[in-house]
Amino acid sequence: AGFRLGQLFFPSLLFLLLSGHPALHQAGGQLRYAVPEELEHGAFVANLGEDLGLDVSTLSARRFRIVSRAGARQHLEVNLENGILFVNERIDREEVCEAGGACLLHLQLLVENPLELYRVEVEVLDINDHAPTFPWQEYVLEVAESAVIGARFPLESAQDPDVGTNSVHTYRLSPNGFFSLEVQTRSDASKFAELVLERALDREQQHMHRVLLTAIDGGVPERSGTAHILIKVLDANDNVPVFDQPSYGVSLPEDAPVGTLVIQLNATDLDEGPNGEIEYSFSGHAPLRVRELFHIEPRSGQVLLKGNLDYERASLHELYVQAKDRGPSAVAVHCRVLVHLLDVNDNAPEVTLTSVSTPVLEDAPPGTVIAVISVLDRDSGDNGHVSCEVGPDVPFELRSSFRNYYTLVTTQALDREVVPEYNISITAQDMGSPALLTRSTLTVPVSDVNDNAPRFLQPSYSVYVMENNAPGASICSVSALDPDCQQNAYLSYSIADGHIHGMPVGTYVSINSDSGHMYALRSLDYEQIRSFQIQVQAQDAGFPPLSANVTVHIFVLDQNDNAPVIVSPLPRNGSVATELVPRSARPGYLVGTVSAVDADAGLNSRLSYQLLQATDFTLFSVAPDTGELRTLRSFLEQDATRQRLVVQVQDGGQPALSATMSLLLSVVESMPQTLSDFSEFSLPPEASSSSPLTLYLLVSLGSISFTFLLAILILTAIRCRGNWRSRQDDGCSLSRCHCCPVSRPPSDGLKTSNLMAQPPAGTTAATCLDVPGGGPPGYCYKVCLGPESAQSDFMFLKPCSPLRNNEKDPGKRSQPGQNLQVSKQIKQPNMDMLPPSTQRPALKRYQIQHCRNRGSG
């Protein structure tokens, strides 16, 4: 391969050196190279990477390439490994450039990251690869024998597609005794030969002459072509046609229709008859293209348009016309017609998107290159001068980098959420009259950047959940939106860390990270927790991720799941609550208040009281709202001394829950100064915080406690004073009881026989109370209550006889067995008739002594 490349490169280099063309020079801000035609594939042209100052190792990554129009042949290509410009396919200069002059290949080189554009011109140098050719290998030239010496006869010109020195350089004529050859040069530097008569002809001596015409080009090595000319000597036709002028010039618009008269030729012949009748035709070496575009009327000499003209393909057509008469030995004369085409604005601009970098990031800074646009108008002058612009109301503009090349850049920041895609209308308009324009639409999608945080649909959420909910049940759903797209808009939901009543928030609720549905993980209890709030976070999947928080307020709704709890009065020792009612109570007397609390709220905690059972419904009533127990009427003699009531407390829930309590009321003649069971209660913590009854209960409890303490102090003082007087005046001691002859009024207290109540063995001395009345004469009745009597319902009775004066020995007192037999029996009191336990200590603070003397034993 290297040997092959060397075979191609060195002859090319030698040709460049010999031809005097530089291989590389820079003109007008662009590179220009020269390369011979007909080089084979792979032939070296130039090292673009070195000449452009590019890093060869980055050419592939930067997509270094030649930009060409769609459908155009790619004669040259760039090797991305070494940056060398080489021949991609054989270049035929005569095929690439139909017209003469310099044959240039215009290359646009594009490299990205950053985007750069270079223009390179490669001139295709002609090599002598074509030999001159004649239209005919042999043709006949008729010459009248009367032709004078020095007469000139134009010969058919040879055609050589090569240009410059490689084209036809001269003609040669084979040696003969009658004719010589004279080479003429046209205005376009082309050569043609004329046969010059050197000796007079004599048809009778020689009617036919044969000569060889050779056309030689100026190439190295030179090439040639030959044609045989048969010169036929004719009888004299003394005059030849003559044109008005040797050459004609005419201008014709390129859009002239077929059949248009181009020019009227006129030639004259002084002969008469057929020798003076002239016929017009194209000369033998008229190019084929001319014969396709124009037509000559043989008789009239009118040149008519036969095909469609194209100024952009050829702006000048050269017609060679000959005229000869119809006489014998007619001699053709020639003239040249130059047809100059006038450019017409018949080509609209062509817009080509050379390179498009889409999509564009929405955070791209102003001035970011989006596309490289080339505009081409094949017309010339003002018709080929093009202006290019983009449509209004788009954040893009066109900047001109080279002639007819524009870069489309951004003018301001983009926002995909506002406009996700731009359809940019690019308008190219020439300066012709009328102007032609071309519109091309470029679609530029905007690529998303994670520049928008999620946004919840509500600033906060309020959720109401009925208590006793099933664990795992859905309680609500939160939703957020992210105006970004794709992964930048994919949201995941989570619950922020926190604690609810000391427990992690994750033990109460969970959330589906994809849908935002929230679930309760446990059954909620309104009585334990009534409301709480959590922070829900929505985070997108962008980089870096953006998030937003929202507060979810969860309110637990009350359910009637707690029955009322009666807090007053409370039963004692697992029995029913008791209360004393004076028999003298009038209608409306407040026996007490039944108090209850309900841990629920609202209607579920609204309580109503009613009397469910009663010994006598006509005697008591309960206030439905306050629970106050009052008498309806006065007590009658026939009314039972024990009244049993059942009070029901019911809440207002659906379904309603209730609680009942039994209350035993004892009707007594007088009320002791002590607390009742209605005051012995303590509120549970729930009631103290959930009902306004707490304050009332605390105030009542404090008042009752203070009154009770004051009563104890007063009774203690009275008791101490009474004991002191008893020991001073009556001589009563703890070890012995004496009957004191003190007259006291009858009492309604306890009435017993002449018995003495003593404490059980092992107890301290009991306090003795003399209970007068009702016993046999001469006995002293005492009720002795020990300190344990507050916890016991038993009474220990013993007979006690006073000391006699005739008894000298105190130890000879009457033994217990000598008294009544009942003294040896322990009496079980009637529990139904006993006062409540709270009222029993009051009996110990009363000392009533009554001594009654009898005259006889």
Side-chain angles (χ1 to χ4, degrees), residues 760-821:
T763 61
T764 61
T767 302
C768 297
L769 296 109
D770 293 333
V771 182
Y779 283 85
C780 177
Y781 297 92
K782 284 189 177 182
V783 177
C784 298
L785 300 177
E788 300 85 353
S789 62
Q791 286 80 27
S792 175
D793 292 333
F794 293 99
M795 297 181 66
F796 301 94
L797 305 179
K798 255 192 172 182
C800 178
S801 62
L803 294 175
R804 311 257 180 207
N805 294 329
N806 57 358
E807 292 182 358
K808 298 179 180 179
D809 188 1
K812 296 181 179 181
R813 292 179 300 172
S814 297
Q815 300 296 324
Q818 297 175 357
N819 294 309
L820 296 176
Q821 295 295 325

Side-chain angles (χ1 to χ4, degrees), residues 296-540:
I296 299 178
E297 289 292 333
R299 301 294 293 175
S300 64
Q302 291 182 343
V303 180
L304 303 177
L305 186 61
K306 180 181 178 181
N308 294 320
L309 301 176
D310 189 354
Y311 176 88
E312 290 70 38
R313 184 171 182 180
S315 61
L316 175 66
H317 294 280
E318 191 172 4
L319 285 66
Y320 292 95
V321 181
Q322 68 179 8
K324 67 179 180 178
D325 57 31
R326 300 181 65 186
S329 304
V331 177
V333 293
H334 298 78
C335 74
R336 184 177 66 170
V337 178
L338 297 178
V339 179
H340 298 273
L341 298 186
L342 301 177
D343 184 39
V344 175
N345 192 22
D346 58 344
N347 291 280
E350 299 176 5
V351 178
T352 304
L353 300 177
T354 302
S355 178
V356 180
S357 300
T358 58
V360 58
L361 292 175
E362 62 176 321
D363 62 348
T368 300
V369 178
I370 305 301
V372 176
I373 301 169
S374 63
V375 181
L376 175 64
D377 194 319
R378 299 183 181 275
D379 296 321
S380 62
D382 290 341
N383 296 332
H385 185 72
V386 180
S387 63
C388 192
E389 61 182 10
V390 296
D393 302 328
V394 292
F396 301 95
E397 69 176 3
L398 290 175
R399 295 178 182 175
S400 178
S401 54
F402 294 101
R403 183 176 180 270
N404 294 336
Y405 277 87
Y406 297 88
T407 55
L408 180 66
V409 299
T410 59
T411 58
Q412 63 188 43
L414 306 179
D415 191 348
R416 191 206 63 83
E417 288 71 39
V418 177
V419 181
E421 183 179 84
Y422 290 92
N423 291 319
I424 305 173
S425 178
I426 302 173
T427 302
Q429 181 174 339
D430 58 28
M431 304 300 291
S433 179
L436 299 180
L437 59 85
T438 299
R439 286 190 177 92
S440 179
T441 301
L442 174 61
T443 300
V444 178
V446 181
S447 179
D448 185 47
V449 173
N450 193 25
D451 57 348
N452 290 277
R455 184 178 68 256
F456 283 92
L457 300 183
Q458 299 178 208
S460 64
Y461 290 82
S462 297
V463 181
Y464 299 89
V465 182
M466 186 68 69
E467 66 172 330
N468 302 319
N469 59 291
S474 176
I475 58 176
C476 73
S477 176
V478 297
S479 181
L481 296 178
D482 195 318
D484 294 323
C485 67
Q486 297 179 357
Q487 69 174 10
N488 295 332
Y490 177 78
L491 301 181
S492 60
Y493 300 89
S494 62
I495 297 177
D497 295 335
H499 290 82
I500 301 175
H501 286 228
M503 296 293 292
V505 68
T507 62
Y508 279 83
V509 292
S510 66
I511 190 169
N512 187 305
S513 61
D514 295 326
S515 63
H517 290 288
M518 298 179 62
Y519 304 91
L521 298 181
R522 61 169 62 184
S523 180
L524 302 177
D525 189 353
Y526 175 83
E527 288 71 39
Q528 293 183 0
I529 180 171
R530 298 192 175 184
S531 67
F532 58 92
Q533 66 182 26
I534 60 176
Q535 291 288 328
V536 176
Q537 182 185 74
Q539 179 174 291
D540 58 32

Side-chain angles (χ1 to χ4, degrees), residues 428-706:
Q429 181 174 339
D430 58 28
M431 304 300 291
S433 179
L436 299 180
L437 59 85
T438 299
R439 286 190 177 92
S440 179
T441 301
L442 174 61
T443 300
V444 178
V446 181
S447 179
D448 185 47
V449 173
N450 193 25
D451 57 348
N452 290 277
R455 184 178 68 256
F456 283 92
L457 300 183
Q458 299 178 208
S460 64
Y461 290 82
S462 297
V463 181
Y464 299 89
V465 182
M466 186 68 69
E467 66 172 330
N468 302 319
N469 59 291
S474 176
I475 58 176
C476 73
S477 176
V478 297
S479 181
L481 296 178
D482 195 318
D484 294 323
C485 67
Q486 297 179 357
Q487 69 174 10
N488 295 332
Y490 177 78
L491 301 181
S492 60
Y493 300 89
S494 62
I495 297 177
D497 295 335
H499 290 82
I500 301 175
H501 286 228
M503 296 293 292
V505 68
T507 62
Y508 279 83
V509 292
S510 66
I511 190 169
N512 187 305
S513 61
D514 295 326
S515 63
H517 290 288
M518 298 179 62
Y519 304 91
L521 298 181
R522 61 169 62 184
S523 180
L524 302 177
D525 189 353
Y526 175 83
E527 288 71 39
Q528 293 183 0
I529 180 171
R530 298 192 175 184
S531 67
F532 58 92
Q533 66 182 26
I534 60 176
Q535 291 288 328
V536 176
Q537 182 185 74
Q539 179 174 291
D540 58 32
F543 182 82
L546 301 178
S547 61
N549 294 338
V550 70
T551 302
V552 180
H553 301 273
I554 300 179
F555 299 93
V556 182
L557 299 180
D558 184 44
Q559 195 176 39
N560 194 24
D561 58 343
N562 291 279
V565 177
I566 298 175
V567 297
S568 173
L570 296 175
R572 289 185 172 274
N573 298 327
S575 181
V576 297
T578 60
E579 183 62 31
L580 300 178
V581 182
R583 185 174 292 276
S584 60
R586 296 180 177 276
Y589 174 79
L590 177 62
V591 179
T593 301
V594 178
S595 299
V597 293
D598 194 317
D600 295 322
L603 290 177
N604 296 330
S605 64
R606 185 173 183 178
L607 304 179
S608 62
Y609 302 84
Q610 63 176 342
L611 194 60
L612 195 64
Q613 297 179 11
T615 303
D616 188 350
F617 280 98
T618 64
L619 191 56
F620 299 98
S621 67
V622 176
D625 295 329
T626 62
E628 293 179 346
L629 181 64
R630 296 181 181 272
T631 57
L632 293 175
R633 60 177 176 80
S634 301
F635 288 95
L636 303 177
E637 292 295 334
Q638 62 270 21
D639 291 333
T641 58
R642 296 179 61 208
Q643 297 287 331
R644 187 177 184 88
L645 305 179
V646 176
V647 178
Q648 182 187 55
V649 183
Q650 180 174 293
D651 58 28
Q654 291 294 333
L657 300 179
S658 62
T660 59
M661 67 159 294
S662 297
L663 179 64
L664 184 61
L665 300 180
S666 298
V667 182
V668 296
E669 296 298 331
S670 63
M671 290 290 293
Q673 297 181 3
T674 182
L675 289 173
S676 67
D677 285 348
F678 279 100
S679 62
E680 296 185 357
F681 69 95
S682 61
L683 290 174
E686 295 84 354
S688 64
S689 62
S690 62
S691 173
L693 185 61
T694 302
L695 180 62
Y696 303 146
L697 293 178
L698 292 176
V699 173
S700 300
L701 183 60
S703 302
I704 294 173
S705 299
F706 176 80

Side-chain angles (χ1 to χ4, degrees), residues 157-368:
S157 298
Q159 299 296 319
D160 193 337
D162 297 327
V163 295
T165 59
N166 295 324
S167 63
V168 177
H169 180 63
T170 187
Y171 293 88
R172 294 177 184 171
L173 190 66
S174 61
N176 65 90
F178 294 90
F179 297 94
S180 65
L181 191 66
E182 188 172 330
V183 179
Q184 302 290 336
T185 303
R186 298 188 180 96
S187 61
D188 59 354
S190 63
K191 304 296 182 65
F192 65 95
E194 289 182 343
L195 199 62
V196 179
L197 183 61
E198 297 291 342
R199 281 175 55 187
L201 298 176
D202 188 357
R203 179 180 176 275
E204 289 69 26
Q205 292 182 0
Q206 186 178 356
H207 69 281
M208 185 75 66
H209 300 270
R210 182 183 293 270
V211 294
L212 179 64
L213 180 63
T214 302
I216 304 171
D217 61 22
V220 178
E222 65 180 19
R223 294 174 178 267
S224 62
T226 60
H228 294 276
I229 302 176
L230 296 179
I231 303 173
K232 186 178 180 181
V233 180
L234 302 176
D235 285 337
N237 183 11
D238 299 336
N239 297 289
V240 296
V242 177
F243 283 99
D244 296 340
Q245 55 192 54
S247 65
Y248 298 86
V250 63
S251 297
L252 188 67
E254 63 172 324
D255 61 347
V258 175
T260 300
L261 177 63
V262 178
I263 192 173
Q264 174 70 59
L265 297 178
N266 186 31
T268 58
D269 193 330
L270 298 177
D271 295 328
E272 292 182 354
N275 292 334
E277 295 178 1
I278 300 174
E279 289 184 351
Y280 301 89
S281 63
F282 285 113
S283 62
H285 57 272
L288 179 62
R289 178 64 177 168
V290 170
R291 298 176 185 271
E292 292 175 349
L293 294 177
F294 302 96
H295 168 70
I296 299 178
E297 289 292 333
R299 301 294 293 175
S300 64
Q302 291 182 343
V303 180
L304 303 177
L305 186 61
K306 180 181 178 181
N308 294 320
L309 301 176
D310 189 354
Y311 176 88
E312 290 70 38
R313 184 171 182 180
S315 61
L316 175 66
H317 294 280
E318 191 172 4
L319 285 66
Y320 292 95
V321 181
Q322 68 179 8
K324 67 179 180 178
D325 57 31
R326 300 181 65 186
S329 304
V331 177
V333 293
H334 298 78
C335 74
R336 184 177 66 170
V337 178
L338 297 178
V339 179
H340 298 273
L341 298 186
L342 301 177
D343 184 39
V344 175
N345 192 22
D346 58 344
N347 291 280
E350 299 176 5
V351 178
T352 304
L353 300 177
T354 302
S355 178
V356 180
S357 300
T358 58
V360 58
L361 292 175
E362 62 176 321
D363 62 348
T368 300

